[in-house]
Structure formats: structure tokens, C-alpha cells
Amino acid sequence: MKVLGIESSCDETACAIVEDGKKIISNVVATQIPFHQIYKGVVPEIASRKHAEWILPVVRQAVEEAGITLNEVDAIAATNRPGLMGSLLVGLTFGKTLAWSLNKPFYAVNHMLGHMYAAHLQNDIEYPYLGLLVSGGHTIIAKVLDFDKLEILGTTIDDSVGEAFDKVAKYYDLGYPGGVIIDRLSKEGNPKAYSFPLPKLDKGEHRYDVSFSGLKTAVIHQADYFLNEGFEASKANIAASFQKTACNTLVSRLLRAVKDTGLTTVVAGGGVAANSRLRQMLSEEKNLNCIFPPLKLCGDNGAMIAGVAYHFLKRGETSPLNTTACARIPQFKRGLANLESFGRR
């Protein structure tokens, strides 16, 4: 069963064709980074216009690289939530129109389910496991029970980890995208140069939650206060120390969840799952089976959307063609995520 998946939730126009939820036949990603670099962040209006310009050639390229015709595709899928509304509507509308014209089943897929599924495309992973979803818009620790069923244990109470990376990079004029640049620059610095504060969310319902607003404020406005004696106040040292603290924040909460649930398999997803220090820290944890997607599948891509849609196709479910986009999903509540948050409506 071949599924064509479209992803356009932010600033990548992506399309992939995946067979049986595992085999990537083609995977095309057109990035808009050069158009947003001057603004040091994504400009929604520019993003949606570029999606409208690129969606047809990207889909055509994916079909050509797969060596098939559109009639050989069994289903069409597209991201419908969450993300930038203008960007989502381009991919979703194109996907629905394509499905209608070909008389193929259509699937609207939650972007976050896609990121959580990305590692499955190249690994055989058994449920349940602990999921670490870390991106520019979301930071979630969850018990993953199935491809569309997550039990939320913890999330951020303010900024996402990816947002913190981008804002620190923007303040110090490091460039865009911030996460990639800080990761690269940190290799030139000393992570012990600054002792930035860790959030104190240790009890009750916040036991697995994270916070990055205080860390971001300390790095941007109070860095000199946290500089350790004998170290230079350099951007490389700031990047290395900030990255270490951000990753420590994530790993400490994740290991707490490992201890409490007894689950020793951890699957990461999202753009920040490409961070070299996070990968190193989790890989070095003894008795922990940590699975990451390949770097090319950490960012937004159509393969993860097609992969999720395949499992809905197996169930015999479809999304109605009046399905619309949703920029946000309801605030996460601890416990089993309901279909309002993670479904395909």
C-alpha cells in the first residue's frame, strides 16, 4: 500500500511516498530557510506564499523519484494541525483536491503524531515506550501506547525547547535556524563556562514538566552573572553552556519518567532530536534503549505523515473532505490524549 504524504505546517514544503508505513520510496523537502534568514525567524506570510508556489513541483518530483504514477498511489495524506494556518491550508487543500480528483481515500494527520512516528520508518519499535517530542513548537514527554495514542506525562509550562534555542540565537545574532547554529557553535565552546539555572519543577503534577523561559532569560539578560571564574565570556561558551543546560533539563525529566514507568525504550522525534548533545547524553545512559530518527527525518517531512496515514488506512478509516486546518490544538492535559487533541478532525 503506497501513501503519498504532504507536510506544509511551517516553512518546509515536503512530499513523500511511503510503502506499507515503512519503506520510503521518495522523500522531497524544499526548505525556505534562505527566505527567512534575513528576519531571523519564520515569517508566516512568506511561508504560505512559498508553499503555494512550490507545492505542485514538489509533489511532481516526489512522484517522479518514486518511479510510479499518481494512479498507483493508494491514499493521500496531509498535515492539518498544528502549525501556521496559511501554511497548513496550502498542503491540506492540495492534498484533499488530489484525493478527490483521483478518487482515493484522504487522511488528515496531526503533525506531532508524524514526528513521533518518524523513528518507526527505519526501526521496528514495539509499544509501549516513552516518547520525547522536542521541536520548535512543542516539548512533550509521553507514554506512547500506539501510533495515535499518547498518554501525556509532562510538557513545557512556557517556551518549547526549540523556541528557546531560536530566541537565544536571535539575541546573540548567531543566525537562523538557531538550533542548528548553536549546536555547531557549542563544539567550539566549554559547557562548564556558565552555570545557568535549572527549573525547579520537582513535585506534584509538574513532576515531568519542563520550563525554558527562565533559562532563556538568564542566557539573554543575565549571562555575566552566571559566568564561572576563569572562563571567557564568549558566544561559543554561551552556546555550549546553554545547550548543556537545556539538554540536562530534558534528560532529567525523561529519566524520572523512565524510573517511574519502568519503560526503558525511549523514542525521540522533532527537530531538536537532531541535537548532538541530546543524542550523546541519551545514548550514554546505561540500560536505556534510545531510538532516534535519522537526521533527515528529524525535521518536517512528508514521509512521517504518510507513515501515520498508512495505519489509519489499515484500520479502514478515512478523513472527510471537509476536514479543515487547525493552527493550535487544545492545551495538553496529563493523561490519555483525546481525539480532539491528536485525532484527524
Side-chain angles (χ1 to χ4, degrees), residues 6-12 14 78-84 87-88 107-118 133-138 140 147 150 269-271 297-306 308 312 326-327 329 332 341-345:
I6 296 171
E7 158 57 33
S8 67
S9 63
C10 191
D11 62 333
E12 273 89 26
T79 303
N80 81 315
R81 62 169 58 189
L84 301 176
S87 295
L88 286 167
Y107 299 91
V109 176
N110 186 299
H111 178 77
M112 290 184 292
L113 288 183
H115 274 310
M116 204 67 265
Y117 185 82
L133 178 55
V134 280
S135 68
H138 305 280
I140 299 170
F147 78 96
L150 281 69
L297 295 179
C298 288
D300 294 348
N301 63 87
M304 65 185 190
I305 303 304
V308 170
F312 286 120
C326 182
I329 59 176
F332 289 113
S341 294
F342 280 100
R344 299 173 289 109
R345 288 184 9 171

Side-chain angles (χ1 to χ4, degrees), residues 18-142:
V18 176
E19 187 174 62
D20 295 338
K22 294 284 287 185
K23 183 180 179 181
I24 300 175
I25 303 176
S26 66
N27 188 24
V28 178
V29 179
T31 181
Q32 300 178 13
I33 288 176
F35 300 95
H36 300 284
Q37 279 179 326
I38 188 175
Y39 305 103
K40 302 176 184 178
V42 177
V43 180
E45 178 66 17
I46 293 175
S48 59
R49 288 179 180 272
K50 284 299 173 185
H51 283 307
E53 179 183 346
W54 291 354
I55 184 68
L56 180 56
V58 164
V59 171
R60 279 178 173 165
Q61 183 179 343
V63 174
E64 289 174 2
E65 290 186 4
I68 62 174
T69 66
L70 277 174
N71 285 327
E72 294 177 77
V73 171
D74 296 287
I76 309 294
T79 303
N80 81 315
R81 62 169 58 189
L84 301 176
M85 181 59 83
S87 295
L88 286 167
L89 284 170
V90 173
L92 179 65
T93 303
F94 190 95
K96 291 193 296 184
T97 304
L98 189 61
W100 173 81
S101 66
L102 296 171
N103 195 27
K104 304 286 186 179
F106 174 74
Y107 299 91
V109 176
N110 186 299
H111 178 77
M112 290 184 292
L113 288 183
H115 274 310
M116 204 67 265
Y117 185 82
H120 288 260
L121 288 164
Q122 295 193 1
N123 299 275
D124 294 324
I125 308 172
E126 293 185 3
Y127 298 102
Y129 57 78
L130 285 177
L132 177 65
L133 178 55
V134 280
S135 68
H138 305 280
T139 304
I140 299 170
I141 296 173

Side-chain angles (χ1 to χ4, degrees), residues 3-285:
V3 179
L4 183 150
I6 296 171
E7 158 57 33
S8 67
S9 63
C10 191
D11 62 333
E12 273 89 26
T13 309
C15 180
I17 296 176
V18 176
E19 187 174 62
D20 295 338
K22 294 284 287 185
K23 183 180 179 181
I24 300 175
I25 303 176
S26 66
N27 188 24
V28 178
V29 179
T31 181
Q32 300 178 13
I33 288 176
F35 300 95
H36 300 284
Q37 279 179 326
I38 188 175
Y39 305 103
K40 302 176 184 178
V42 177
V43 180
E45 178 66 17
I46 293 175
S48 59
R49 288 179 180 272
K50 284 299 173 185
H51 283 307
E53 179 183 346
W54 291 354
I55 184 68
L56 180 56
V58 164
V59 171
R60 279 178 173 165
Q61 183 179 343
V63 174
E64 289 174 2
E65 290 186 4
I68 62 174
T69 66
L70 277 174
N71 285 327
E72 294 177 77
V73 171
D74 296 287
I76 309 294
T79 303
N80 81 315
R81 62 169 58 189
L84 301 176
M85 181 59 83
S87 295
L88 286 167
L89 284 170
V90 173
L92 179 65
T93 303
F94 190 95
K96 291 193 296 184
T97 304
L98 189 61
W100 173 81
S101 66
L102 296 171
N103 195 27
K104 304 286 186 179
F106 174 74
Y107 299 91
V109 176
N110 186 299
H111 178 77
M112 290 184 292
L113 288 183
H115 274 310
M116 204 67 265
Y117 185 82
H120 288 260
L121 288 164
Q122 295 193 1
N123 299 275
D124 294 324
I125 308 172
E126 293 185 3
Y127 298 102
Y129 57 78
L130 285 177
L132 177 65
L133 178 55
V134 280
S135 68
H138 305 280
T139 304
I140 299 170
I141 296 173
K143 183 187 292 185
V144 182
L145 306 174
D146 206 342
F147 78 96
D148 65 338
K149 187 179 295 184
L150 281 69
E151 182 180 341
I152 306 299
L153 301 178
T155 183
T156 178
I157 65 170
D158 39 57
D159 297 342
S160 71
V161 60
E163 181 183 357
F165 270 88
D166 286 340
K167 288 184 176 178
V168 168
K170 183 176 182 178
Y171 178 81
Y172 285 102
D173 198 24
L174 300 180
Y176 173 83
V180 175
I181 293 171
I182 287 178
D183 193 6
R184 186 185 307 127
L185 183 60
S186 67
K187 293 177 172 58
E188 303 173 14
N190 192 323
K192 298 180 181 179
Y194 293 83
S195 296
F196 292 124
L198 288 165
K200 298 185 181 299
L201 298 170
D202 298 325
K203 298 179 181 179
E205 65 176 5
H206 294 299
R207 181 171 175 78
Y208 308 110
D209 286 344
V210 294
S211 169
F212 293 100
S213 179
L215 172 60
K216 178 189 67 181
T217 300
V219 175
I220 291 177
H221 298 296
Q222 304 165 339
D224 290 344
Y225 176 80
F226 297 101
L227 181 63
N228 293 319
E229 188 176 350
F231 289 94
E232 178 187 1
S234 68
K235 290 182 178 180
N237 282 342
I238 288 175
S241 300
F242 162 70
Q243 180 170 268
K244 178 196 72 174
T245 307
C247 291
N248 283 346
T249 299
L250 291 170
V251 173
S252 64
R253 296 306 186 270
L254 182 63
L255 293 181
R256 183 174 293 171
V258 169
K259 180 180 178 181
D260 292 350
T261 63
L263 296 174
T264 57
T265 295
V266 172
V267 178
V272 183
N275 182 272
S276 62
R277 185 172 185 92
L278 180 62
R279 286 179 172 241
Q280 178 185 356
M281 290 178 66
L282 289 177
S283 298
E284 290 176 349
E285 285 294 328

